[in-house]
């Protein structure tokens, strides 16, 4: 949709999201109301690249990439669609954006000059066809760098030591390990590369007409940046590849302006030459901005995978989970936990124990006792991320493993187990809950009142639901564009919003259950650790 806009000065802000399956744009007005949206779906709209779900899976089943030029062509198509609808580009005051975290782009030597001198009569795709030293960009789904991960951890003194420096232990999808693999397996291509971008800074570069810097938040997801000094960590750089700092360029705060829009885009689409670009960031930090997470909030997304985000003033890096620099406050941090076994497991137990009905599932939760008479369940249908383990485990009140529960016990064990896991791992990263804390719940399961009541009781905090957050990362970048715009850089992020409340109170915690779940959290942590130790032992054997 595009509404007619008439103004005396630029008053529109754009957010873009280069995600796994699509490139999306959202425009908001000065009141931060959405006025335009457009999307390019890679599989449907660009079938010549032969992607499935926006990616290409390789024969080894571990390597997953995306064609870099597909992303370039997607931007051409997106901008042409907006132009054909009469979108007033001249009204855009500022642009920011996001990209799928951990992906990387390798610019061929000489491309900087080409970016600086683009011909406005031609599209980007036509002009950048020969601009990449690596044609297919490694992305977050890639898991082919285990050897490089172990080597990096060994250099710095172990997984915990690396986490304390960079915010995370070595992960296969993290960019430093991907760069190390390319240097080792394609040394000529690495040498031919003059600059390396993240997906976010790559997209920013196309708007800037020059290589855009990497921002602190997305830079935190590389195993290369010191999250405390917010500089590249030399020991990590040297462990991954030579001359790496030069190829990566500068790091900047996520809310910093990085320049004005390129002359190319002004000439081709009619942007005003004063339109500013604010540093682009990763999709998880952008989502934090999109849900407007506050210092005392806990954001829990209940989707195919479940995620948890926290605002932290003092980070406590651990070998599970991630610590990133906060995208809306460079002096703060955010914690991120990802759990692979989310809605698909809930749906499986629903089908097995409540005839496929969410209504019956909720009734079961409501009539079964909090604490489940001491029974605890741990359900990892797929190999979990946090912790690294697989299987279904059921324990009675004496922590003795049993083979089965009743249907009511199974449903409550699943829901309690999932939320106990989130609580104990969040506490390891620095979570504290006080009278001002609240949980912001998103995703499909956030519509189920009975599930939210268990969540509220386990965390002992009220739960609010957030309407209209399906595109929180893209929308968050439109917000960030306004926040970083000239004249607002000294304003706190939450001060740019109208003072109306965005959230709906869903449930409040039942005080009588606090002590019960404090005890269960300790039990769950011990039981999960035992399972994890067995899993790691089996893997090493």
């Amino acid at each position: 949709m595009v509404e007619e806009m008439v103004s005396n000065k630029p008053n529109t802000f754009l957010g873009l999201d280069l995600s796994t399956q699509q490139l999306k744009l959202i425009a908001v007005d000065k009141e931060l109301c959405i006025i335009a949206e457009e999307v390019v779906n890679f599989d449907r709209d660009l079938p010549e690249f032969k992607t499935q779900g926006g990616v290409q899976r390789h024969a080894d089943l571990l390597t997953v990439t995306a064609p870099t030029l597909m992303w370039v062509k997607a931007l051409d198509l997106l901008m042409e669609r907006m132009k054909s609808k009469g979108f007033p580009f001249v009204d855009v005051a500022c642009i920011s954006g996001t990209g799928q975290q951990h992906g990387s782009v390798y610019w061929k030597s000489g491309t900087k000059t080409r970016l600086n001198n683009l011909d406005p009569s031609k599209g980007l795709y036509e002009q950048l066809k020969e601009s990449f030293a690596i044609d297919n960009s490694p992305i977050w789904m890639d898991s082919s760098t285990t050897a490089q991960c172990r080597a990096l951890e060994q250099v710095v003194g172990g997984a915990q030591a690396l986490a304390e420096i960079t915010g995370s232990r070595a992960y296969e999808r993290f960019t430093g390990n991907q760069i190390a693999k390319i240097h080792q397996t394609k040394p000529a291509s690495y040498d031919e590369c003059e600059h390396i971008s993240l997906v976010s800074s790559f997209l920013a570069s196309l708007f800037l007409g020059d290589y855009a810097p990497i921002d602190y938040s997305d830079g935190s997801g590389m195993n290369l940046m010191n999250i405390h000094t917010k500089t590249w960590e030399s020991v990590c750089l040297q462990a991954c590849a030579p001359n790496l700092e030069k190829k990566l360029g500068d790091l900047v705060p996520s809310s910093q302006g990085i320049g004005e829009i390129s002359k190319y885009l002004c000439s081709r689409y009619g942007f005003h030459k004063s339109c500013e670009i604010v540093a682009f960031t990763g999709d998880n930090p952008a989502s934090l901005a999109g849900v407007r997470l506050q210092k005392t909030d806990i954001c829990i997304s209940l989707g195919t995978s479940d995620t948890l985000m926290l605002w932290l003033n003092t980070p406590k890096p651990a070998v599970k989970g991630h610590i990133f620099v906060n995208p809306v406050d460079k002096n703060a941090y955010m914690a991120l936990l990802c759990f692979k076994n989310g809605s698909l497991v809930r749906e499986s137990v629903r089908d097995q124990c409540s005839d496929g009905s969410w209504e019956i599932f909720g009734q079961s939760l409501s009539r079964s006792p909090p604490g489940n008479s001491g029974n605890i369940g741990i359900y990892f249908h797929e190999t979990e991320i946090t912790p690294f383990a697989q299987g279904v485990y059921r324990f009675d009140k004496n922590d003795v493993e049993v083979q089965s529960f009743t249907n009511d016990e199974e449903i409550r064990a699943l829901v309690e187990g999932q939320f106990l896991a989130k609580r104990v791992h969040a506490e390891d990263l620095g979570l504290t809950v006080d009278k001002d804390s609240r949980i912001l719940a998103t995703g499909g399961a956030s519509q189920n009142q009975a599930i939210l009541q268990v969540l509220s009781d386990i965390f002992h905090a009220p739960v609010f639901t957030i309407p209209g957050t399906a595109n929180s990362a893209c929308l968050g970048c439109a917000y960030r564009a306004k926040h970083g715009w000239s004249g607002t850089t000294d304003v706190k992020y939450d001060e740019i919003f109208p003072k109306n409340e965005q959230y709906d109170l869903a449930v409040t915690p039942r005080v009588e259950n606090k002590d019960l779940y404090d005890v269960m959290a300790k039990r769950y942590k011990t039981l999960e650790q035992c399972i994890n130790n067995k899993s790691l032992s089996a893997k090493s054997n």
Side-chain angles (χ1 to χ4, degrees):
M1 62 173 178
V2 176
E3 296 183 358
E4 183 178 357
M5 297 166 53
V6 179
S7 62
N8 295 320
K9 62 180 181 178
N11 61 1
T12 301
F13 303 91
L14 297 189
L16 290 107
D17 179 11
L18 178 46
S19 65
T20 309
Q21 300 186 53
Q22 63 183 21
L23 174 63
K24 186 173 182 64
L25 177 150
I26 290 179
V28 301
D29 62 18
K30 62 182 179 181
E31 301 300 325
L32 300 180
C33 297
I34 296 175
I35 57 172
E37 297 184 68
E38 189 57 72
V39 64
V40 172
N41 179 279
F42 302 140
D43 293 359
R44 181 185 65 239
D45 297 325
L46 299 169
E48 62 269 31
F49 292 98
K50 297 180 172 59
T51 57
Q52 292 184 320
V55 307
Q56 296 174 334
R57 290 175 172 82
H58 295 241
D60 63 1
L61 303 180
L62 298 174
T63 303
V64 184
T65 61
T68 310
L69 278 168
M70 178 182 70
W71 296 337
V72 177
K73 197 168 187 178
L75 182 58
D76 279 339
L77 181 56
L78 183 84
M79 298 301 289
E80 290 299 328
R81 286 179 175 177
M82 295 294 289
K83 182 179 180 179
S84 70
K85 292 180 178 181
F87 181 78
F89 293 102
V90 70
D91 282 347
V92 178
C94 192
I95 302 170
S96 191
T98 181
Q100 50 181 293
Q101 281 200 270
H102 317 302
S104 45
V105 172
Y106 301 80
W107 302 87
K108 187 181 293 185
S109 293
T111 303
K112 178 181 173 67
T113 301
R114 188 175 296 125
L115 280 173
N116 293 165
N117 297 280
L118 293 167
D119 181 351
S121 69
K122 301 176 181 178
L124 290 168
Y125 175 75
E126 181 181 355
Q127 299 182 76
L128 297 178
K129 280 186 176 180
E130 305 299 325
S131 297
F132 302 102
I134 299 290
D135 293 331
N136 296 306
S137 291
I139 64 165
W140 66 274
M141 298 171 70
D142 189 280
S143 57
S144 65
T145 64
T146 299
Q148 288 78 16
C149 288
R150 300 293 80 79
L152 178 58
E153 289 179 346
Q154 184 175 10
V155 166
V156 301
Q160 181 62 37
L162 183 64
E164 289 172 0
I165 297 169
T166 70
S168 304
R169 68 165 176 83
Y171 283 90
E172 280 78 1
R173 65 188 184 277
F174 274 38
T175 322
N177 307 301
Q178 294 290 337
I179 292 170
K181 177 189 172 186
I182 285 174
H183 171 250
Q184 293 165 17
T185 61
K186 299 178 179 180
S189 296
Y190 179 82
D191 290 342
E192 190 180 17
C193 168
E194 74 177 6
H195 190 83
I196 300 174
S197 294
L198 298 181
V199 177
S200 59
S201 60
F202 156 77
L203 185 59
S205 299
L206 298 181
F207 280 88
L208 197 62
D210 203 348
Y211 294 142
I214 292 172
D215 79 294
Y216 292 164
S217 288
D218 211 1
S220 308
M222 300 174 70
N223 281 143
L224 295 176
M225 191 191 92
N226 187 311
I227 61 170
H228 308 283
T229 63
K230 302 176 183 65
T231 58
W232 298 120
E233 183 67 25
S234 59
V235 65
C236 297
L237 296 173
Q238 293 167 11
C240 290
N243 305 313
L244 187 48
E245 183 169 3
K246 181 179 180 181
K247 292 179 187 287
L248 291 171
D250 296 332
L251 288 160
V252 298
S254 304
S255 58
Q256 181 169 306
I258 57 174
E260 294 178 339
I261 197 164
S262 69
K263 293 179 181 179
Y264 166 80
L265 290 175
C266 291
S267 297
R268 188 168 176 84
Y269 296 107
F271 284 98
H272 195 279
K273 65 180 181 180
S274 66
C275 176
E276 298 178 28
I277 311 296
V278 165
F280 286 27
T281 193
D283 52 0
N284 290 302
S287 291
L288 180 148
V291 301
R292 295 163 52 180
L293 193 78
Q294 303 294 306
K295 293 181 180 179
T296 56
D297 291 341
I298 307 157
C299 181
I300 296 179
S301 176
L302 302 171
T304 303
S305 60
D306 290 349
T307 58
L308 180 149
M309 290 188 294
L310 301 173
W311 180 300
L312 297 175
N313 290 321
T314 304
K316 292 176 58 181
V319 294
K320 298 172 186 174
H322 314 294
I323 302 290
F324 301 144
V325 176
N326 193 300
V328 300
D329 183 345
K330 66 181 181 181
N331 297 313
Y333 297 86
M334 64 173 283
L336 176 72
L337 289 165
C338 185
F339 302 86
K340 189 184 296 184
N341 292 277
S343 65
L344 296 182
V345 181
R346 289 188 288 272
E347 290 168 9
S348 175
V349 173
R350 175 204 62 189
D351 294 344
Q352 175 187 345
C353 298
S354 57
D355 296 328
S357 166
W358 284 120
E359 182 178 0
I360 297 174
F361 187 98
Q363 291 170 353
S364 172
L365 270 181
S366 297
R367 67 172 171 261
S368 57
N372 208 15
S373 302
N375 296 309
I376 290 179
I378 299 175
Y379 299 79
F380 299 149
H381 288 191
E382 301 290 337
T383 301
E384 187 51 85
I385 299 170
T386 312
F388 185 86
Q390 185 177 17
V392 175
Y393 307 88
R394 302 177 182 87
F395 301 92
D396 66 14
K397 64 182 180 180
N398 298 311
D399 295 341
V400 175
E401 191 166 0
V402 296
Q403 293 302 308
S404 63
F405 291 146
T406 67
N407 284 349
D408 282 358
E409 289 171 341
E410 187 89 336
I411 289 171
R412 180 163 282 276
L414 166 71
V415 176
E416 288 186 339
Q418 288 186 326
F419 291 144
L420 286 167
K422 292 170 179 56
R423 172 177 161 171
V424 300
H425 290 296
E427 288 174 342
D428 286 344
L429 290 176
L431 169 68
T432 57
V433 175
D434 58 31
K435 62 181 180 59
D436 297 319
S437 297
R438 61 180 181 176
I439 296 171
L440 309 180
T442 68
S446 67
Q447 305 305 309
N448 189 304
Q449 194 86 354
I451 290 176
L452 294 186
Q453 185 63 64
V454 178
L455 172 61
S456 181
D457 287 349
I458 286 177
F459 279 81
H460 199 64
V463 175
F464 293 77
T465 55
I466 315 174
T469 53
N471 298 300
S472 59
C474 192
L475 186 59
C477 287
Y479 296 162
R480 292 177 54 251
K482 181 173 182 181
H483 180 231
W485 188 41
S486 290
T488 61
T489 52
D490 293 329
V491 175
K492 293 182 179 179
Y493 181 70
D494 59 353
E495 293 176 357
I496 69 170
F497 297 95
K499 297 304 179 184
N500 58 308
E501 179 55 76
Q502 181 187 14
Y503 314 113
D504 299 325
L505 177 63
V507 293
T508 57
R510 295 175 289 196
V511 177
E512 64 271 21
N513 294 330
K514 181 180 185 303
D515 292 343
L516 181 153
Y517 283 121
D518 286 346
V519 172
M520 286 194 74
K522 293 177 181 177
R523 287 181 58 210
Y524 179 93
K525 186 172 185 177
T526 300
L527 292 170
E528 188 192 83
Q529 187 60 56
C530 291
I531 292 168
N532 192 36
N533 290 341
K534 290 179 182 178
S535 177
L536 293 175
S537 176
K539 183 181 179 183
S540 64
N541 293 330

